Amino acid sequence: MTTLAAIDIGSNGARLLIKRFDPEAPREEDRIKKIMFIRIPLRLGKDVFTLGKVSKEREKMMLHMMKGFKQFMKLNDVDAFRACATSAMRDAENGKKVLKKIEKQTGIKLEIIKGQEEAKLLYNNLVEKTDSNEGNFAYIDVGGGSTEVSIIHDGTLAESFSYNMGTLRMLSGKVTADTEKQFKENLCRYAKEYGNIRIIGSGGNINKLNKLARHNKTNGKELSISELKRLYLMMQPLSIEEREISFSLKEDRADVIIPAAEIFIQACEYLECDTIMVPNISLADSIVDGLYEKLEMTNEKLQMRN
């Protein structure tokens, strides 16, 4: 039995996920168990995409959070963990300095991962969790700072690209015309070259939009573009406070859900797709599952040597 953790510091939220792996468990559902999941609305992107750096206030908040995460990992006897930071920390001019300070005070080393690695981590977890071994799929993960798009052809990663076009970046007016153009051109090209592409969406916003759309529906893992547009048209004219009340949204979801819906609507249009599959896969899941696979491979190599 092995207990592993993932820390994912995104542009909008930060997450701690702890899972227990027991390959010897008699029942399949007991072999991988989620022990704890915590999400903190850290909103690093709010600083980084306007100031260009992490503010002192946010740095202090981040330090307290990481100390808390460390205690939760101790409490659950975590054997190993991996901690990753994505788009906002990639862009922050003081990002490396902040992370060094956190490591010194908590012992937790945070890696700043590139958009390409983020996309690959998500993809590796995806093929196992969805029926994407045959046909063409566009896996789209919309975060606060970036959007990752991976094209999967018959279960193989064919192309992958990270765009500086996330929800907080859009709200800050920091998405360039070149990025928008590249996003459109690439997705339109995918539609022509691969054809009949199905979209797989991930990220907290598409999960929430799917949940809102499916109350009376039996198929909980598919969101039609017509339903997405209907929700978007209902939400978009409302104030943040009105969205919180009408749709039971948290404050840090009520603003970013609109640009997220816009990105997915554009993606559907460019890829000529009318449905989004929503399997509820997160980067934190991908990090912790990837860590388990790596440890298993290391153990196998050691056994072979012995």
Side-chain angles (χ1 to χ4, degrees):
M1 193 184 291
T2 310
T3 305
L4 302 174
I7 294 172
D8 163 27
I9 309 293
S11 301
N12 192 33
R15 300 157 192 86
L16 168 68
L17 172 65
I18 301 174
K19 280 186 179 180
R20 191 159 288 149
F21 296 83
D22 184 6
E24 305 301 318
R27 295 193 312 168
E28 195 176 334
E29 58 265 36
D30 293 331
R31 286 171 197 169
I32 302 175
K33 277 201 164 182
K34 190 181 283 189
I35 304 301
M36 179 177 279
F37 178 75
I38 301 167
R39 181 184 180 277
I40 308 290
L42 190 60
R43 308 218 107 183
L44 282 177
K46 208 165 186 179
D47 283 352
V48 177
F49 306 138
T50 51
L51 307 171
K53 63 180 182 179
V54 178
S55 67
K56 288 285 180 189
E57 183 190 352
R58 201 87 53 182
E59 183 186 325
K60 191 178 174 184
M61 186 179 168
M62 198 175 171
L63 185 59
H64 287 313
M65 179 192 76
M66 294 299 282
K67 284 178 178 176
F69 283 179
K70 185 177 182 178
Q71 293 307 314
F72 280 122
M73 288 194 289
K74 277 186 177 179
L75 184 69
N76 288 283
D77 296 320
V78 167
D79 298 297
F81 68 90
R82 187 180 180 192
C84 299
T86 57
S87 185
M89 293 306 285
R90 286 197 291 265
D91 286 10
E93 62 182 52
N94 61 341
K96 288 181 181 176
K97 190 179 171 185
V98 170
L99 297 189
K100 275 183 183 175
K101 200 179 282 187
I102 286 169
E103 186 181 357
K104 193 177 177 182
Q105 294 197 41
T106 66
I108 296 174
K109 183 174 181 174
L110 268 159
E111 305 168 51
I112 299 178
I113 59 170
K114 292 179 180 177
Q116 288 286 76
E117 189 186 348
E118 190 177 344
K120 281 179 183 172
L121 273 167
L122 289 158
Y123 160 74
N124 289 339
N125 202 21
L126 174 76
V127 176
E128 293 175 28
K129 300 279 174 73
T130 62
D131 187 19
S132 57
N133 289 310
E134 286 185 22
N136 296 317
F137 296 84
Y139 179 60
I140 302 175
D141 180 72
V142 177
S146 63
T147 292
E148 275 66 49
V149 180
S150 299
I151 298 297
I152 302 152
H153 173 67
D154 291 339
T156 303
L157 184 63
E159 299 190 43
S160 187
F161 203 90
S162 179
Y163 302 87
N164 281 338
M165 191 173 72
T167 56
L168 283 176
R169 206 184 287 267
M170 285 173 76
L171 289 173
S172 304
K174 298 295 180 181
V175 179
T176 66
D178 283 347
T179 298
E180 289 178 346
K181 186 185 175 193
Q182 193 173 31
F183 182 72
K184 182 178 180 178
E185 285 177 354
N186 282 352
L187 269 62
C188 288
R189 176 175 62 81
Y190 298 152
K192 283 181 185 176
E193 286 183 17
Y194 296 92
N196 197 25
I197 293 175
R198 294 178 70 195
I199 294 175
I200 301 169
S202 84
N205 291 298
I206 197 68
N207 292 337
K208 188 65 183 177
L209 285 161
N210 184 46
K211 196 175 177 182
L212 288 170
R214 74 178 190 182
H215 343 248
N216 302 316
K217 305 237 170 69
T218 51
N219 188 356
K221 291 192 176 181
E222 285 202 354
L223 176 63
S224 69
I225 183 65
S226 57
E227 191 67 19
L228 176 57
K229 282 181 177 175
R230 185 186 72 81
L231 277 169
Y232 172 73
L233 290 171
M234 286 168 66
M235 288 182 174
Q236 200 272 336
L238 303 178
S239 68
I240 290 169
E241 292 77 14
E242 286 169 335
R243 283 179 216 143
E244 286 175 47
I245 295 162
S246 302
F247 296 94
S248 302
L249 298 175
K250 291 179 181 175
E251 187 182 353
D252 69 305
R253 181 72 66 206
D255 55 352
V256 293
I257 204 163
I258 297 301
E262 288 168 357
I263 292 170
F264 277 108
I265 289 166
Q266 284 177 350
C268 286
E269 182 190 326
Y270 301 153
L271 291 167
E272 299 170 16
C273 184
D274 58 9
T275 306
I276 300 168
M277 295 165 63
V278 189
N280 205 349
I281 297 171
S282 72
L283 182 60
D285 278 299
S286 300
I287 292 166
V288 80
D289 292 354
L291 181 59
Y292 179 70
E293 283 170 26
K294 194 176 176 182
L295 289 171
E296 283 292 286
M297 282 172 70
T298 305
N299 289 337
E300 280 175 24
K301 283 177 185 176
L302 287 169
Q303 284 170 7
M304 283 170 74
R305 281 176 193 167
N306 296 331

